[in-house]
Amino acid sequence: MTSAHQPGQHSEVTLRVNGKPQTLRVDHRRVLLDLLREDLDLTGSKKGCDHGQCGACTVLVDGRRLNSCLLLAVALDGSDITTVEGLGGDGEEPHPLQRSFLDRDAFQCGYCTPGQLCSAVGMLDEAAAGHPSHVTDPAAPSGAPVPLDRTEIRERMSGNLCRCGAYPRIVEAIEDVIA
Ligand code: FES
Ligand code: FES
């Protein structure tokens, strides 16, 4: 019989996190966000709602942006994870979007910023790969890169909430990288 005090099942998983292989024994109930923050000390990814509603925990999993609070770590064996700490790669230089957010002052408290950055990186790749959004012209050629105007950027970034209301500057920072 299960009880709240009974330990969960564990499995060994190997992840590549910001370019480094990590083998960990994880409780099957552990979500990626907690594993990153508590086991790997990568506290850039933030816990806002813990329910998939705010986007503060967004990371890239095999290049796709996902809410890490909703992902069971045990299901990600073999995956490649990039957090805000790894966006700049191995070098000392920040990712161009990080530089752009700084230049545009695209934050206030900064709590949502790691998620905004990871989401924006994933979003740019999605648009370049021709993935349409809810506001993409249905007559646009299928599979062609989608031009990102402000409406597209706002729609595609709508899963990332900012309690400080830094949205206009976030959009400008993304536009600067596209230009
Ligand atoms: S903490 Fe994951 S979506 Fe809010
Ligand atoms: S900068 Fe404060 S929540 Fe976005």
Side-chain angles (χ1 to χ4, degrees):
M1 181 178 137
T2 39
S3 84
H5 302 293
Q6 189 173 8
Q9 285 188 294
H10 291 70
S11 292
E12 193 172 275
V13 279
T14 298
L15 307 171
R16 195 170 173 81
V17 182
N18 296 334
K20 292 188 194 140
Q22 303 273 3
T23 298
L24 302 137
R25 186 168 164 73
V26 298
D27 188 309
H28 288 193
R29 300 165 297 183
R30 195 143 183 81
V31 294
L32 177 62
L33 177 60
D34 291 341
L35 180 142
L36 291 170
R37 290 180 55 83
E38 295 171 16
D39 299 342
L40 298 180
D41 209 21
L42 292 168
T43 54
S45 306
K46 297 293 186 278
K47 185 178 284 189
C49 65
D50 209 16
H51 283 88
Q53 294 174 352
C54 73
C57 64
T58 306
V59 298
L60 299 168
V61 178
D62 295 329
R64 291 174 60 216
R65 53 181 174 158
L66 294 170
N67 290 334
S68 61
C69 71
L70 296 181
L71 299 173
L72 290 172
V74 71
L76 299 172
D77 191 29
S79 297
D80 198 277
I81 316 289
T82 304
T83 68
V84 70
E85 290 92 341
L87 281 184
D90 292 337
E92 299 291 309
E93 290 299 310
H95 186 282
L97 266 167
Q98 289 172 303
R99 171 57 56 201
S100 180
F101 268 58
L102 284 169
D103 291 346
R104 284 285 182 178
D105 207 10
F107 44 81
Q108 288 183 42
C109 76
Y111 198 83
C112 71
T113 310
Q116 302 278 2
L117 286 163
C118 288
S119 189
V121 171
M123 180 276 284
L124 292 175
D125 287 344
E126 288 162 19
H131 298 175
S133 79
H134 187 62
V135 298
T136 304
D137 181 356
S142 174
V146 180
L148 291 175
D149 58 16
R150 287 192 173 191
T151 305
E152 280 280 1
I153 294 171
R154 283 198 197 102
E155 167 62 22
R156 288 169 186 267
M157 293 297 294
S158 61
N160 289 82
L161 306 185
C162 175
R163 291 293 299 272
C164 300
Y167 300 112
R169 293 190 179 192
I170 290 170
V171 172
E172 288 169 2
I174 294 171
E175 283 181 319
D176 285 352
V177 169
I178 297 167

